[in-house]
């Protein structure tokens, strides 16, 4: 059984490194696509909810404020089962 030449071994290691880098980039891109999908769903649901309540079409600034407030609520104030039915802020204060 013959050993690989050092050049082939180096090329193989370089290729494995490139594949790992591509896997990491793919994971990040999939995460970005998921977040964009969530944001799109949020905007769609918010628009339907507000339109059905008679608010009609809203300006960009009002929509931006509503979305910003919702994201803040979702990330900081929303009660979560995995945190023992606490909000992330309450949970982090009790752990500190």
């Amino acid at each position: 059984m013959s050993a690989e030449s050092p050049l082939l071994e180096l090329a193989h290691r370089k290729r494995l490194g490139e594949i790992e880098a591509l896997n990491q980039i793919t994971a990040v891109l999939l995460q970005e696509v998921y977040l964009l999908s969530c944001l799109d769903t949020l905007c769609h649901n918010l628009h339907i909810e507000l339109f059905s309540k008679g608010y009609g079409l809203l300006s960009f600034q009002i929509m931006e404020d509503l979305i910003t407030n919702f994201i803040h609520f979702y990330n900081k104030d929303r009660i979560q089962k995995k945190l023992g039915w606490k909000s992330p802020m309450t949970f982090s204060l009790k752990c500190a």
Side-chain angles (χ1 to χ4, degrees), residues 6-86:
L7 288 176
L8 283 176
E9 187 176 327
L10 181 63
H12 182 69
R13 287 184 187 177
K14 182 179 178 188
R15 183 69 179 144
L16 288 177
E18 290 171 353
I19 291 171
E20 180 60 30
L22 286 174
N23 286 340
Q24 290 175 358
I25 290 169
T26 301
V28 169
L29 288 174
L30 286 173
Q31 196 172 28
E32 292 294 321
V33 167
Y34 174 75
L35 291 174
L36 287 174
S37 174
C38 290
L39 184 59
D40 180 58
T41 302
L42 168 67
C43 291
H44 178 74
N45 291 343
L46 184 61
H47 175 73
I48 288 174
E49 172 111 8
L50 293 171
F51 195 76
S52 68
K53 290 184 177 179
Y55 287 99
L57 296 176
L58 302 175
S59 70
F60 177 81
Q61 185 61 48
I62 292 172
M63 286 295 288
E64 183 180 31
D65 291 343
L66 288 169
I67 292 169
T68 301
N69 291 340
F70 179 80
I71 290 172
H72 175 81
F73 162 78
Y74 189 86
N75 291 332
K76 308 258 188 228
D77 301 329
R78 172 179 62 104
I79 296 172
Q80 298 181 36
K81 181 180 179 180
K82 68 180 179 183
L83 300 179
W85 299 108
K86 296 176 180 71

